[in-house]
Amino acid sequence: MAATGMFEDRYWEVYAHRSSHVRSPPELASGSWSAAGGAPSGPWARHIGTALHGARRLLDVGAGDRRWAELLPRLGVQARYLSCDPDRRHDHDHDDFLAVAEPFDAILMLDLLEHLPAQQGIAFVDHAAELLPPGGALVISTPNPAHPTSFQASDFTHIRPWPAHDLFGLCRSAGFSDVRVHRIQHVDGRLRRALVPVQRTLSRLIGVDPADHLLLVAIL
């Protein structure tokens, strides 16, 4: 009962911050933004590169194949890269994020929270706030549950949708002072880009979001 009560209390803390969330306009991104060779471009590169500028030590939580170890230097991020993931197929520095005790200037949780139960996702964000110094950055990406297909269709292991206002409220309740949620719409090809105004108009009419991903940057 105590654990249930704590979870309910946290819900109301998150809920109290939701009204402060300001919905951002959707930003167009290409699926080839991180293609090999040259500097990545587009909103992913812009927001992540800005958030991590000046970081000296960075932890990638849910790092998978450690692809960001190669991408971050191409964004101009010179931080020492460490990874955390229970996956045994790759050489990670940590396998249990909640057991990590060393400090970091920035923490990545990219396409991670949707794979976790709600209470574990909350614990991850709270622990990130404990490991970061004032001015430290937490970067989260997740499928946008307001998009008609993004959350369910992209991966069968997704168990927990995180609406933009709840992500915002969660990070604010964890102590992050500057929280921004960017709505990312992936569009490839000239024809699809030409149809973006029509798609966005139709999305408004039927009450769905054309942006398929959310990218949150939270500064402690």
Side-chain angles (χ1 to χ4, degrees):
M1 291 297 292
T4 300
M6 291 174 60
F7 181 73
E8 291 175 352
D9 289 343
R10 189 55 182 278
Y11 168 78
W12 289 111
E13 292 177 17
V14 171
Y15 185 85
H17 288 287
R18 282 168 52 169
S19 61
S20 300
H21 172 249
V22 178
R23 194 167 185 257
S24 65
E27 303 175 62
L28 291 180
S30 168
S32 60
W33 76 274
S34 61
S41 60
W44 287 94
R46 183 170 63 254
H47 295 310
I48 293 177
T50 299
L52 304 183
H53 177 73
R56 293 167 296 176
R57 285 172 50 82
L58 178 149
L59 181 63
D60 185 5
V61 185
D65 60 5
R66 291 174 52 95
R67 65 190 293 262
W68 284 90
E70 185 271 331
L71 284 174
L72 289 173
R74 291 165 52 197
L75 293 174
V77 177
Q78 301 302 318
R80 180 189 173 196
Y81 176 93
L82 286 85
S83 63
C84 179
D85 200 302
D87 178 22
R88 301 292 184 181
R89 290 169 296 180
H90 299 89
D91 186 17
H92 295 291
D93 303 283
H94 301 277
D95 60 7
D96 181 359
F97 176 58
L98 296 180
V100 174
E102 56 189 299
F104 291 90
D105 300 303
I107 294 175
L108 300 180
M109 296 182 186
L110 304 178
D111 290 334
L112 169 66
L113 291 187
E114 64 273 12
H115 298 275
L116 306 177
Q119 287 175 301
Q120 188 177 8
I122 293 171
F124 270 43
V125 171
D126 287 347
H127 192 53
E130 294 171 355
L131 298 180
L132 292 168
L138 171 64
V139 180
I140 296 172
S141 70
T142 189
N144 182 4
H147 184 275
T149 63
S150 180
F151 176 76
Q152 294 290 352
S154 54
D155 195 312
F156 78 99
T157 64
H158 291 174
I159 62 173
R160 168 57 52 185
W162 287 93
H165 55 227
D166 284 328
L167 272 180
F168 175 89
L170 173 60
C171 289
R172 291 287 287 124
S173 70
F176 290 90
S177 59
D178 183 4
V179 181
R180 304 183 185 187
V181 185
H182 305 279
R183 295 161 57 223
I184 310 296
Q185 180 180 2
H186 288 91
V187 178
D188 290 318
R190 292 183 179 180
L191 177 59
R192 290 193 63 189
R193 283 183 172 267
L195 293 174
V196 163
V198 176
Q199 181 186 7
R200 291 183 176 178
T201 299
L202 290 174
S203 295
R204 285 194 299 270
L205 289 174
I206 63 176
V208 298
D209 194 337
D212 51 275
H213 245 75
L214 303 174
L215 177 65
L216 176 143
V217 176
I219 307 299
L220 196 62

